[in-house]
Amino acid sequence: MTDMPQTRGKLKANVALDGLTWLRVGGAADWLFQPADTQDLADFLRDLPQDVAVFPMGVGSNLIVRDGGLRAVVIRMGRGFNTIEAQGNRVRAGVAALDAHVARKAAEAGIDLTFLRTIPGAIGGAVRMNAGCYGTYVADVFVEATAVTRQGEIVTLSAQDLNFRYRQTDLPDGWVITEAVFEGPSGDANALSDHMETQLAKRNATQPTKDRTAGSTFRNPAGFSSTGQADDEHDLKAWKLIQDAGMRGAQVGGAQMSEMHANFMINTGGATAADLENLGEDVRKRVFQNSGIQLEWEIMRVGEPAAEKRPASGTE
């Protein structure tokens, strides 16, 4: 076993990850590291052998960890990385700050980051995936981010460095974002609060928010999120393609495509990661057969499948 670096944070071996993801599935990580602060993270990555894989993990809102677990050091940012500070029209948020909390804190300071209110997860994932909804994306309000490279160097990243695109960026593997700065337009605090309540009501009326989901399962082939406006076009929306292919409500084991919103995958209870991924692949196949369009996963899938059980010695 690899000798692990000394740390002021928490480092544990063979940690089950199913309880750390919103879908409640997945095997164990070789290691789980929770750094004490940015310098602790930088020192750890500098001293960790370069052939050891690392996987930064937020709150697990957009993630399937396969049943065989993850052969890596999972880095989970917790306390110390969830601060939110507003000054002028800018908000500085730690990577572990929930998107919804950032939206609320910003609104209290008269800064419009209301689009973040209905996005599940934390700021790290929002930046890495250029999260967005109702026509606004992280790229539209992004100023800069601080990250630690796999070699342990603390760097500042610009929008040009990240090269924001629909649901993706160029953040290198093994780099860990620690905080981000956003700049939003000014607004009346009460009006911003009211707007977020309207957004929440709309989301709760159209999405299975009380079920175990990971948010949108597939990216919209149209290349943009729903605007929420009356003139929004649906022809190249993932949910419409899934519905047209007859896969709304489809099931594999304990996994199901939601009846309420066809692009949401649900763990109805007892689903394995394999159930969820196999259902997703079935959906992709049926959509392609029906429309000729290849859906791309939005949910990140990581790790290894469960090892196949071999027959006991002496059995057929």
Side-chain angles (χ1 to χ4, degrees):
M1 182 177 287
T2 302
D3 290 334
M4 303 300 283
Q6 294 295 309
T7 173
R8 291 180 285 109
K10 297 179 181 178
L11 180 64
K12 295 182 180 179
N14 194 35
V15 177
L17 297 177
D18 55 348
L20 301 181
T21 70
W22 284 22
L23 284 167
R24 294 293 188 264
V25 297
D30 287 349
W31 295 91
L32 179 67
F33 174 47
Q34 296 173 276
D37 51 40
T38 299
Q39 191 59 55
D40 186 40
L41 172 63
D43 293 343
F44 180 86
L45 289 174
R46 180 197 64 214
D47 296 338
L48 184 70
Q50 291 297 305
D51 61 349
V52 177
V54 300
F55 178 72
M57 180 177 173
V59 294
S61 62
N62 195 232
L63 180 68
I64 292 174
V65 177
R66 296 187 176 105
D67 300 307
L70 201 51
R71 306 287 75 79
V73 177
V74 171
I75 299 174
R76 194 160 194 257
M77 317 291 269
R79 292 182 179 178
F81 294 93
N82 60 357
T83 56
I84 305 170
E85 301 173 354
Q87 185 172 10
N89 275 64
R90 292 190 172 187
V91 175
R92 181 180 298 273
V95 68
L98 294 177
D99 300 333
H101 291 177
V102 173
R104 286 204 300 263
K105 284 280 191 180
E108 290 170 4
I111 305 168
D112 187 356
L113 297 179
T114 53
F115 78 99
L116 288 171
R117 181 64 183 88
T118 56
I119 297 177
I123 287 299
V127 171
R128 188 184 61 78
M129 291 292 290
N130 189 21
C133 67
Y134 302 135
T136 304
Y137 300 86
V138 163
D140 298 324
V141 298
F142 180 85
V143 177
E144 65 181 26
T146 303
V148 180
T149 71
R150 178 60 184 86
Q151 291 72 37
E153 181 184 1
I154 300 172
V155 297
T156 299
L157 299 173
S158 67
Q160 185 175 1
D161 294 328
L162 288 171
N163 188 23
F164 287 107
R165 301 179 302 289
Y166 175 62
R167 293 295 186 265
Q168 57 187 315
T169 61
D170 288 344
L171 183 70
D173 289 341
W175 288 32
V176 184
I177 297 173
T178 60
E179 67 175 17
V181 179
F182 308 102
E183 184 170 350
S186 299
D188 175 76
N190 290 330
L192 294 175
S193 178
D194 290 344
H195 180 58
M196 289 190 293
E197 289 302 313
T198 300
Q199 288 179 318
L200 280 175
K202 185 183 296 184
R203 183 192 67 176
N204 292 339
T206 58
Q207 298 177 8
T209 55
K210 298 186 185 305
D211 294 317
R212 289 182 184 173
T213 78
S216 296
T217 305
F218 301 105
R219 298 173 182 169
N220 285 323
F224 53 86
S225 299
S226 296
T227 64
Q229 302 302 312
D231 61 352
D232 199 5
E233 296 182 6
H234 300 300
D235 289 347
L236 287 179
K237 297 295 175 61
W239 71 264
K240 182 69 162 51
L241 293 166
I242 294 167
Q243 177 175 285
D244 290 349
M247 295 300 281
R248 179 188 290 270
Q251 287 188 263
V252 171
Q256 180 182 24
M257 301 309 294
S258 170
E259 293 278 6
M260 188 177 197
H261 191 303
N263 194 28
F264 278 65
M265 182 181 287
I266 296 170
N267 180 353
T268 63
T272 63
D275 289 341
L276 294 161
E277 192 164 13
N278 288 339
L279 174 58
E281 290 302 320
D282 286 350
V283 168
R284 295 180 72 232
K285 180 179 179 180
R286 287 286 295 275
V287 166
F288 183 73
Q289 290 172 342
N290 186 63
S291 67
I293 294 174
Q294 191 76 266
L295 289 178
E296 299 295 332
W297 283 89
E298 184 167 324
I299 296 175
M300 179 178 286
R301 294 147 297 124
V302 298
E304 300 177 351
E308 294 184 13
K309 294 183 180 179
R310 298 179 179 178
S313 179
T315 63
E316 293 294 328

